Amino acid sequence: MAWRYDFSNQQASVFFLDNSTPAPKRELWPAGLCFDDELITQVTGIGGGIEALARAYQHHSNQVRIVERDRIVGPVEADGLVTGLDSFALAVLTADCVPVAFSTKGAVGIAHCGWKGIVGGILAESVKAIRELVGDPSANVEAAVGPHICVECYEFEGPSKAEVKKKYGDSAFRTVLASSHLDLGALISYELSELGVSADFTNDQCTNQTDTLNSYRGDGSELRQTSFVVKGPWLGSLMVDG
Ligand SMILES: [Zn+2]
């Protein structure tokens, strides 16, 4: 099944898939642009209407690439993708990290956000890239935040904590059973608010507490779920299984 979120301009939607649509092995779905209809159907769980599917090699960076009709601009290593093209699905794979999709009039984007990427500025870089793409530095951008590990389930200690604390202070953490936990959703909410982006959190189920979602921290899963954003006037009629 999938959670679908329609952006208010009705010209773009994001689909947060669960593990009933397992991400295919990476050798079958290499990073880059994919035009293989069969693979697109397998990955997205929906068939017709999607012309191409794009994903990057995610590496917890703040790098964002533009997807054009026949190429991804720059190296395929990135954690954010943006495009102005209709029917091009931009995807990220996650299992506790946060998929965040963006929409503005004329473009969409998606980002893979773990603590490292958030601290590094992946959200700001994504919003900047989408605004540059439509040529309006103050363009109204909406965001939708997908399933990720919740603060109760995300114990966060050690050297990484100092890095997060340096940027966000103590308010990023909550004490749960005497240990320090990180609230990824709160960091994202803060960052997006600073960027003037409205965010929807109705699809932020906890990956660890939801049976149909893969969780790296919960069960050491190597499996990931796919989230993708796509724009196009044809989206209204699109149904999703489940
Ligand atoms: Zn949880």
Side-chain angles (χ1 to χ4, degrees):
M1 75 170 263
W3 294 273
R4 172 178 173 166
Y5 177 79
D6 294 326
F7 290 101
S8 70
N9 62 19
Q10 298 294 312
Q11 296 283 303
S13 296
V14 54
F15 299 84
F16 300 112
L17 305 183
D18 71 4
N19 61 17
S20 66
T21 309
K25 287 197 164 54
R26 288 163 198 223
E27 54 271 27
L28 287 177
W29 182 29
L33 265 175
C34 167
F35 293 92
D36 178 334
D37 286 340
E38 207 172 309
L39 197 55
I40 290 172
T41 302
Q42 189 188 343
V43 170
T44 62
I46 53 179
I50 296 179
E51 184 181 343
L53 181 64
R55 78 170 176 92
Y57 286 114
Q58 301 164 185
H59 61 135
H60 297 281
S61 72
N62 64 3
Q63 289 166 319
V64 181
R65 311 282 181 222
I66 301 167
V67 175
E68 296 184 340
R69 187 153 285 284
D70 56 352
R71 65 178 187 141
I72 294 177
V73 179
V76 183
E77 291 82 12
D79 289 83
L81 293 171
V82 296
T83 193
L85 297 168
D86 279 357
S87 308
F88 271 52
L90 311 181
V92 290
L93 300 175
T94 60
D96 283 330
C97 288
V98 196
V100 182
F102 301 94
S103 174
T104 190
K105 199 170 188 317
V108 291
I110 198 160
H112 158 253
C113 308
W115 72 266
K116 206 167 203 163
I118 296 171
V119 169
I122 184 63
L123 290 159
E125 292 300 318
S126 298
V127 172
K128 186 175 145 206
I130 202 169
R131 283 175 170 154
E132 279 178 1
L133 191 61
V134 297
D136 178 358
S138 59
N140 180 41
V141 176
E142 293 174 62
V145 176
H148 59 273
I149 194 155
C150 79
V151 62
E152 283 82 12
C153 298
Y154 192 17
E155 190 175 344
F156 199 82
E157 302 275 10
S160 326
K161 189 181 168 184
E163 264 188 77
V164 176
K165 194 172 168 178
K166 196 171 157 194
K167 183 164 182 184
Y168 297 104
D170 285 321
S171 60
F173 306 96
R174 196 195 297 174
T175 303
V176 179
L177 299 175
S179 61
S180 177
H181 284 228
L182 181 61
D183 192 340
L184 289 175
L187 293 188
I188 285 170
S189 182
Y190 171 79
E191 285 282 334
L192 293 177
S193 162
E194 290 287 297
L195 294 160
V197 171
S198 60
D200 181 280
F201 281 83
T202 52
N203 300 112
D204 69 343
Q205 290 81 358
C206 174
T207 42
N208 184 43
Q209 291 181 50
T210 308
D211 287 346
T212 55
L213 293 169
N214 303 306
S215 174
Y216 172 71
R217 281 191 166 67
D219 49 26
S221 179
E222 288 183 7
L223 301 174
R224 301 288 178 263
Q225 43 263 344
T226 307
S227 301
F228 64 96
V229 65
V230 61
K231 70 186 273 281
W234 52 275
L235 282 162
S237 59
L238 187 63
M239 301 299 290
V240 182
D241 290 344

